[in-house]
Amino acid sequence: MTAAANIHATAIVVGRTGLLFSGPSGWGKSMLAFTCMTEARRLGLFTALVADDQVLLSGETGAVIATCPPSIAGLIELRGTGIVRQDHVPEAAMHYAVLPGSASGENRVPPEGEIVSLAADVSLPALRLLTGVSSPLAILMAKAPDIGD
């Protein structure tokens, strides 16, 4: 097990799949995660917040575990709206890192099999997503059909 690294991200679970939204401040990590949770509920899938803004990440026997600092458990900040309470779990295995996509230039189509390093000895397969899309969970599920299983 690696020591937990505190990273600026948002972690959620959809079904049994952990999604870690990571990117620059202001990208919309929290709103994208919240929208994915809302979509999952409409589809009848289990979903829960793990942590927003601060995610403690550690590697345990081949798995990446996200944990929430107790002081922010169940809270997510929706920029321009405020902080809202969500169903939450204190920790969960993460399976994908959701990162900002690019709508133009040579990076418009991200490489297949992209892996991102999030902390020392902690890496996840990357899924790219543009902010402002109306159905982010549908896009993620099209790219990774095991989401929601």
Side-chain angles (χ1 to χ4, degrees):
M1 178 173 144
T2 60
N6 190 337
I7 69 165
H8 182 71
T10 300
I12 66 170
V13 175
V14 175
R16 290 178 289 166
T17 306
L19 300 172
L20 182 76
F21 293 77
S22 181
S25 184
W27 172 56
K29 296 177 287 294
S30 300
M31 191 63 79
L32 284 168
F34 177 80
T35 303
C36 285
M37 288 190 299
T38 301
E39 282 185 79
R41 282 187 205 100
R42 287 184 184 144
L43 293 171
L45 298 172
F46 170 79
T47 188
L49 176 68
V50 179
D52 180 50
D53 193 49
Q54 296 181 56
V55 179
L56 304 174
L57 275 188
S58 59
E60 294 183 19
T61 321
V64 174
I65 304 299
T67 306
C68 183
S71 62
I72 59 171
L75 303 176
I76 187 168
E77 180 187 359
L78 303 178
R79 190 173 296 239
T81 301
I83 296 172
V84 298
R85 186 165 295 283
Q86 290 290 290
D87 291 339
H88 69 283
V89 293
E91 70 175 32
M94 293 291 105
H95 300 91
Y96 295 100
V98 181
L99 306 172
S102 176
S104 62
E106 59 188 64
N107 295 330
R108 197 172 87 186
V109 178
E112 288 294 322
E114 182 181 14
I115 303 290
V116 63
S117 177
L118 300 156
D121 300 322
V122 179
S123 299
L124 287 171
L127 298 174
R128 297 284 176 167
L129 188 62
L130 293 175
T131 190
V133 295
S134 61
S135 297
L137 183 61
I139 293 167
L140 294 173
M141 291 172 89
K143 191 66 180 169
D146 60 325
I147 293 174
D149 287 348

